[in-house]
Amino acid sequence: MNCKQATRLLSEQMERPLSAKEIIALRVHTAMCVGCRRFGIQMKDLRDISKGYVNGENNNPEK
């Protein structure tokens, strides 16, 4: 698996369950590739922030 395939799967896992083969390949790649590992963390953080905003968990004191 290359970085392009890994980042595609990291994005897709937000919208659909990955197959066992995809999960294993992604885990192996991200174990070796710090760039893709960081991308995965950033994707998760963005998803969590977006969900929090939608659910009204905005910690902005001005509102």
Coordinates of all heavy atoms in Angstrom, one line a residue:
M1 N 0.9 -1.2 0.0 CA 0.0 0.0 0.0 C 0.9 1.2 0.0 O 1.9 1.3 0.7 CB -0.9 0.0 1.3 CG -1.7 1.2 1.4 SD -2.9 1.2 2.7 CE -4.1 0.1 2.1
N2 N 0.5 2.2 -0.8 CA 1.3 3.5 -0.8 C 0.5 4.5 -0.1 O -0.6 4.3 0.4 CB 1.6 3.9 -2.3 CG 0.4 4.2 -3.1 OD1 -0.7 4.7 -2.6 ND2 0.4 3.8 -4.4
C3 N 1.1 5.7 0.1 CA 0.5 6.8 0.8 C -0.9 7.3 0.2 O -1.8 7.6 1.0 CB 1.4 7.9 1.0 SG 2.9 7.5 2.0
K4 N -0.9 7.3 -1.1 CA -2.2 7.7 -1.7 C -3.3 6.8 -1.4 O -4.4 7.2 -1.1 CB -2.0 7.8 -3.2 CG -3.2 8.4 -4.0 CD -2.9 8.5 -5.5 CE -4.1 9.1 -6.2 NZ -3.8 9.3 -7.6
Q5 N -3.1 5.5 -1.4 CA -4.1 4.5 -1.1 C -4.4 4.6 0.4 O -5.6 4.5 0.8 CB -3.6 3.1 -1.4 CG -3.4 2.8 -2.9 CD -2.5 1.6 -3.2 OE1 -1.6 1.3 -2.4 NE2 -2.9 0.9 -4.3
A6 N -3.4 4.8 1.2 CA -3.7 4.9 2.7 C -4.5 6.1 3.0 O -5.5 5.9 3.8 CB -2.3 4.9 3.4
T7 N -4.2 7.2 2.5 CA -5.0 8.4 2.8 C -6.4 8.3 2.3 O -7.4 8.7 2.9 CB -4.3 9.7 2.3 OG1 -4.1 9.6 0.9 CG2 -3.1 10.0 3.0
R8 N -6.6 7.6 1.1 CA -7.9 7.4 0.6 C -8.7 6.5 1.6 O -9.9 6.8 1.9 CB -7.9 6.7 -0.8 CG -9.3 6.4 -1.3 CD -9.2 5.7 -2.7 NE -8.4 4.5 -2.7 CZ -8.8 3.3 -2.2 NH1 -10.1 3.2 -1.7 NH2 -8.1 2.3 -2.3
L9 N -8.1 5.4 2.1 CA -8.8 4.6 3.1 C -9.1 5.3 4.4 O -10.1 5.1 5.0 CB -8.0 3.3 3.3 CG -8.0 2.3 2.2 CD1 -7.2 1.1 2.5 CD2 -9.5 1.8 1.9
L10 N -8.1 6.1 4.8 CA -8.3 6.9 6.1 C -9.5 7.8 5.9 O -10.3 7.9 6.9 CB -7.1 7.7 6.4 CG -5.9 6.8 6.9 CD1 -4.6 7.6 6.9 CD2 -6.2 6.3 8.4
S11 N -9.7 8.3 4.8 CA -10.9 9.2 4.5 C -12.2 8.3 4.4 O -13.2 8.7 5.0 CB -10.7 10.0 3.2 OG -9.7 10.9 3.4
E12 N -12.1 7.2 3.7 CA -13.3 6.4 3.5 C -13.8 5.7 4.7 O -15.0 5.5 4.9 CB -12.9 5.3 2.4 CG -12.9 5.9 1.0 CD -12.7 4.8 0.0 OE1 -12.8 3.6 0.3 OE2 -12.3 5.1 -1.2
Q13 N -12.9 5.5 5.7 CA -13.3 4.8 6.9 C -14.2 5.7 7.7 O -14.9 5.2 8.6 CB -12.1 4.3 7.7 CG -11.4 5.4 8.5 CD -10.3 4.8 9.3 OE1 -10.1 3.6 9.4 NE2 -9.5 5.6 9.9
M14 N -14.3 7.0 7.4 CA -15.2 7.9 8.1 C -16.6 7.7 7.6 O -17.6 8.0 8.3 CB -14.8 9.3 7.9 CG -13.4 9.7 8.3 SD -13.3 9.6 10.1 CE -11.5 9.9 10.3
E15 N -16.8 7.1 6.4 CA -18.1 6.9 5.8 C -18.6 5.5 5.6 O -19.7 5.3 5.4 CB -18.1 7.7 4.5 CG -17.8 9.1 4.6 CD -17.9 9.9 3.3 OE1 -18.6 9.4 2.4 OE2 -17.3 11.0 3.2
R16 N -17.7 4.6 5.7 CA -18.1 3.2 5.5 C -17.1 2.3 6.3 O -16.0 2.6 6.5 CB -18.0 2.8 4.0 CG -16.6 2.7 3.4 CD -16.6 2.1 2.1 NE -15.3 2.1 1.5 CZ -14.4 1.1 1.6 NH1 -14.7 0.0 2.4 NH2 -13.2 1.1 1.1
P17 N -17.6 1.1 6.6 CA -16.7 0.1 7.3 C -15.7 -0.4 6.3 O -16.1 -0.7 5.2 CB -17.6 -0.9 7.8 CG -19.0 -0.7 7.3 CD -19.0 0.6 6.6
L18 N -14.5 -0.5 6.7 CA -13.5 -1.1 5.9 C -13.5 -2.6 6.0 O -13.8 -3.2 7.0 CB -12.1 -0.6 6.2 CG -11.8 0.9 6.2 CD1 -10.4 1.3 6.6 CD2 -12.1 1.5 4.8
S19 N -13.0 -3.3 4.9 CA -12.9 -4.8 5.0 C -11.8 -5.1 5.9 O -10.9 -4.3 6.2 CB -12.7 -5.3 3.6 OG -11.4 -5.0 3.1
A20 N -11.7 -6.4 6.3 CA -10.6 -6.9 7.1 C -9.3 -6.7 6.4 O -8.3 -6.3 7.0 CB -10.8 -8.3 7.5
K21 N -9.3 -7.0 5.1 CA -8.0 -6.8 4.3 C -7.6 -5.3 4.3 O -6.4 -5.1 4.4 CB -8.3 -7.3 2.9 CG -7.1 -7.3 2.0 CD -7.4 -7.8 0.6 CE -6.2 -7.7 -0.3 NZ -6.5 -8.3 -1.6
E22 N -8.5 -4.4 4.1 CA -8.2 -3.0 4.1 C -7.7 -2.5 5.5 O -6.7 -1.8 5.5 CB -9.4 -2.2 3.7 CG -9.8 -2.3 2.3 CD -11.2 -1.6 2.0 OE1 -12.1 -1.7 2.8 OE2 -11.3 -1.1 0.9
I23 N -8.3 -3.0 6.5 CA -7.9 -2.6 7.9 C -6.5 -3.1 8.1 O -5.6 -2.3 8.7 CB -8.8 -3.2 8.9 CG1 -10.2 -2.5 8.8 CG2 -8.3 -3.1 10.3 CD1 -11.3 -3.2 9.6
I24 N -6.2 -4.3 7.8 CA -4.8 -4.9 8.0 C -3.8 -4.1 7.2 O -2.7 -3.7 7.8 CB -4.8 -6.4 7.7 CG1 -5.6 -7.1 8.8 CG2 -3.3 -6.9 7.7 CD1 -5.9 -8.6 8.4
A25 N -4.1 -3.9 6.0 CA -3.1 -3.1 5.1 C -2.9 -1.7 5.6 O -1.8 -1.2 5.6 CB -3.6 -3.1 3.7
L26 N -4.0 -1.1 6.0 CA -3.9 0.3 6.6 C -3.1 0.3 7.9 O -2.2 1.2 8.1 CB -5.3 0.9 6.8 CG -5.4 2.3 7.1 CD1 -4.7 3.2 6.1 CD2 -6.8 2.7 7.3
R27 N -3.3 -0.6 8.7 CA -2.5 -0.7 10.0 C -1.1 -0.9 9.8 O -0.2 -0.3 10.4 CB -3.1 -1.8 10.9 CG -4.4 -1.4 11.5 CD -4.9 -2.4 12.5 NE -6.2 -2.0 13.1 CZ -7.0 -2.8 13.8 NH1 -6.6 -4.0 14.0 NH2 -8.1 -2.4 14.2
V28 N -0.7 -1.8 8.8 CA 0.7 -2.0 8.5 C 1.3 -0.8 8.0 O 2.4 -0.4 8.4 CB 0.8 -3.2 7.5 CG1 2.2 -3.3 7.0 CG2 0.4 -4.5 8.2
H29 N 0.6 -0.1 7.0 CA 1.2 1.1 6.4 C 1.4 2.2 7.4 O 2.4 2.8 7.5 CB 0.3 1.6 5.3 CG 0.8 2.8 4.6 ND1 1.8 2.7 3.6 CD2 0.6 4.1 4.8 CE1 2.1 4.0 3.3 NE2 1.4 4.8 4.0
T30 N 0.3 2.5 8.3 CA 0.4 3.6 9.2 C 1.4 3.3 10.3 O 1.9 4.2 11.0 CB -1.0 3.9 9.8 OG1 -1.6 2.8 10.4 CG2 -1.9 4.5 8.7
A31 N 1.7 2.0 10.6 CA 2.7 1.6 11.6 C 4.1 2.1 11.1 O 5.0 2.4 11.9 CB 2.7 0.1 11.9
M32 N 4.3 2.1 9.8 CA 5.6 2.4 9.2 C 5.7 3.9 8.7 O 6.8 4.4 8.6 CB 5.9 1.5 8.0 CG 6.0 0.1 8.4 SD 6.4 -1.0 7.0 CE 5.0 -0.9 6.0
C33 N 4.5 4.5 8.5 CA 4.5 5.8 7.8 C 4.0 6.9 8.8 O 2.8 7.0 9.0 CB 3.7 5.8 6.5 SG 3.6 7.3 5.7
V34 N 4.9 7.7 9.3 CA 4.5 8.7 10.2 C 3.5 9.8 9.6 O 2.6 10.3 10.2 CB 5.7 9.4 10.9 CG1 6.5 10.3 10.0 CG2 5.2 10.2 12.1
G35 N 3.7 10.1 8.3 CA 2.9 11.1 7.6 C 1.5 10.6 7.6 O 0.5 11.4 7.9
C36 N 1.2 9.4 7.2 CA -0.1 8.9 7.1 C -0.7 8.7 8.5 O -1.9 8.9 8.7 CB -0.1 7.6 6.3 SG 0.2 7.8 4.5
R37 N 0.1 8.3 9.4 CA -0.4 8.1 10.8 C -0.9 9.5 11.3 O -2.0 9.6 11.9 CB 0.7 7.6 11.7 CG 0.3 7.2 13.0 CD 1.3 6.3 13.8 NE 2.7 6.9 13.8 CZ 3.7 6.3 13.2 NH1 3.6 5.2 12.4 NH2 4.9 6.9 13.3
R38 N -0.1 10.5 11.1 CA -0.6 11.9 11.5 C -1.8 12.3 10.7 O -2.7 13.0 11.3 CB 0.6 12.9 11.2 CG 1.7 12.8 12.2 CD 2.7 13.8 11.9 NE 3.9 13.7 12.8 CZ 5.1 14.1 12.6 NH1 5.3 14.7 11.5 NH2 6.0 13.9 13.5
F39 N -1.9 12.0 9.4 CA -3.1 12.3 8.6 C -4.3 11.6 9.3 O -5.4 12.3 9.4 CB -2.9 11.9 7.2 CG -4.1 12.2 6.3 CD1 -4.3 13.4 5.8 CD2 -5.0 11.2 6.0 CE1 -5.4 13.7 5.0 CE2 -6.1 11.4 5.2 CZ -6.3 12.7 4.7
G40 N -4.2 10.4 9.7 CA -5.3 9.7 10.3 C -5.7 10.3 11.6 O -6.9 10.5 11.9
I41 N -4.8 10.8 12.4 CA -5.1 11.5 13.6 C -5.8 12.8 13.3 O -6.8 13.1 14.0 CB -3.8 11.7 14.5 CG1 -3.3 10.4 14.9 CG2 -4.1 12.7 15.6 CD1 -1.8 10.4 15.5
Q42 N -5.3 13.5 12.3 CA -6.0 14.8 12.0 C -7.4 14.6 11.5 O -8.3 15.3 11.8 CB -5.1 15.5 10.9 CG -3.8 16.0 11.5 CD -2.9 16.5 10.4 OE1 -3.1 16.2 9.2 NE2 -1.9 17.3 10.8
M43 N -7.6 13.5 10.7 CA -9.0 13.2 10.2 C -9.9 12.9 11.4 O -11.0 13.4 11.4 CB -8.9 12.0 9.3 CG -8.2 12.2 7.9 SD -9.1 13.4 6.9 CE -10.6 12.4 6.6
K44 N -9.4 12.1 12.3 CA -10.2 11.8 13.5 C -10.5 13.1 14.3 O -11.7 13.3 14.7 CB -9.5 10.8 14.4 CG -10.4 10.4 15.6 CD -9.6 9.5 16.5 CE -10.3 9.2 17.8 NZ -10.8 10.3 18.5
D45 N -9.5 13.9 14.5 CA -9.7 15.2 15.2 C -10.8 16.1 14.5 O -11.6 16.6 15.2 CB -8.4 15.9 15.4 CG -7.5 15.2 16.4 OD1 -7.9 14.3 17.2 OD2 -6.3 15.6 16.4
L46 N -10.6 16.2 13.2 CA -11.6 17.0 12.5 C -13.0 16.5 12.6 O -14.0 17.2 12.8 CB -11.2 17.1 11.0 CG -10.0 18.1 10.7 CD1 -9.6 17.9 9.3 CD2 -10.4 19.5 11.0
R47 N -13.1 15.2 12.5 CA -14.5 14.5 12.7 C -15.0 14.8 14.0 O -16.2 15.2 14.2 CB -14.4 13.0 12.4 CG -15.7 12.4 12.5 CD -15.6 10.9 12.5 NE -15.0 10.5 13.7 CZ -14.4 9.3 13.8 NH1 -14.4 8.4 12.9 NH2 -13.8 9.0 15.0
D48 N -14.2 14.7 15.1 CA -14.7 14.9 16.4 C -15.1 16.4 16.7 O -16.1 16.7 17.3 CB -13.6 14.5 17.4 CG -13.4 13.0 17.5 OD1 -14.2 12.2 16.9 OD2 -12.3 12.6 18.0
I49 N -14.3 17.3 16.1 CA -14.6 18.7 16.3 C -15.9 19.0 15.5 O -16.7 19.7 16.0 CB -13.4 19.6 15.7 CG1 -12.2 19.4 16.7 CG2 -13.8 21.0 15.6 CD1 -10.9 20.0 16.1
S50 N -16.0 18.5 14.3 CA -17.3 18.7 13.5 C -18.5 18.2 14.3 O -19.5 18.9 14.3 CB -17.2 18.1 12.2 OG -16.1 18.7 11.4
K51 N -18.4 17.0 14.8 CA -19.5 16.4 15.5 C -19.9 17.2 16.7 O -21.0 17.4 17.0 CB -19.2 15.0 15.9 CG -19.3 14.0 14.8 CD -19.1 12.6 15.4 CE -19.3 11.5 14.3 NZ -19.1 10.2 14.8
G52 N -18.8 17.7 17.4 CA -19.1 18.5 18.6 C -19.8 19.8 18.3 O -20.7 20.3 19.0
Y53 N -19.4 20.4 17.2 CA -20.0 21.7 16.7 C -21.5 21.4 16.4 O -22.3 22.2 16.8 CB -19.2 22.2 15.5 CG -19.8 23.6 15.1 CD1 -19.5 24.7 15.8 CD2 -20.6 23.6 14.0 CE1 -20.0 25.9 15.4 CE2 -21.1 24.9 13.6 CZ -20.8 26.0 14.3 OH -21.3 27.2 13.9
V54 N -21.7 20.4 15.6 CA -23.1 20.0 15.2 C -24.0 19.7 16.4 O -25.1 20.1 16.5 CB -23.1 18.8 14.2 CG1 -24.5 18.3 14.0 CG2 -22.5 19.3 12.9
N55 N -23.4 19.1 17.4 CA -24.1 18.7 18.6 C -24.2 19.9 19.7 O -24.7 19.7 20.8 CB -23.5 17.5 19.3 CG -23.7 16.3 18.4 OD1 -24.6 16.1 17.7 ND2 -22.7 15.4 18.5
G56 N -23.7 21.1 19.3 CA -23.8 22.2 20.2 C -22.8 22.3 21.3 O -23.0 22.9 22.3
E57 N -21.7 21.5 21.1 CA -20.7 21.5 22.1 C -19.6 22.6 21.8 O -18.4 22.4 22.1 CB -20.0 20.1 22.1 CG -21.0 19.0 22.5 CD -20.5 17.7 22.4 OE1 -19.2 17.5 22.1 OE2 -21.2 16.7 22.5
N58 N -20.0 23.7 21.3 CA -19.1 24.8 21.0 C -18.7 25.5 22.3 O -19.6 26.0 23.0 CB -19.8 25.8 20.0 CG -18.9 26.8 19.5 OD1 -17.7 26.9 20.0 ND2 -19.4 27.7 18.7
N59 N -17.5 25.5 22.6 CA -17.0 26.1 23.8 C -16.7 27.6 23.7 O -15.9 28.2 24.4 CB -15.8 25.4 24.3 CG -16.1 24.0 24.8 OD1 -17.2 23.8 25.4 ND2 -15.2 23.1 24.6
N60 N -17.3 28.3 22.7 CA -17.1 29.7 22.4 C -17.8 30.5 23.5 O -19.0 30.5 23.5 CB -17.5 30.0 21.0 CG -17.2 31.5 20.6 OD1 -16.8 32.2 21.5 ND2 -17.3 31.8 19.4
P61 N -17.1 31.2 24.4 CA -17.8 32.0 25.4 C -18.6 33.2 24.9 O -19.4 33.7 25.7 CB -16.6 32.5 26.3 CG -15.4 32.4 25.4 CD -15.7 31.4 24.4
E62 N -18.4 33.5 23.7 CA -19.2 34.7 23.1 C -20.6 34.3 22.8 O -21.5 35.2 22.6 CB -18.5 35.2 21.9 CG -17.1 35.8 22.2 CD -16.5 36.3 20.9 OE1 -17.1 36.4 19.9 OE2 -15.2 36.4 21.0
K63 N -21.0 33.0 22.8 CA -22.3 32.6 22.5 C -23.1 32.3 23.7 O -22.7 31.9 24.7 CB -22.3 31.4 21.5 CG -21.9 31.9 20.2 CD -22.1 30.8 19.2 CE -21.8 31.3 17.8 NZ -22.1 30.3 16.8

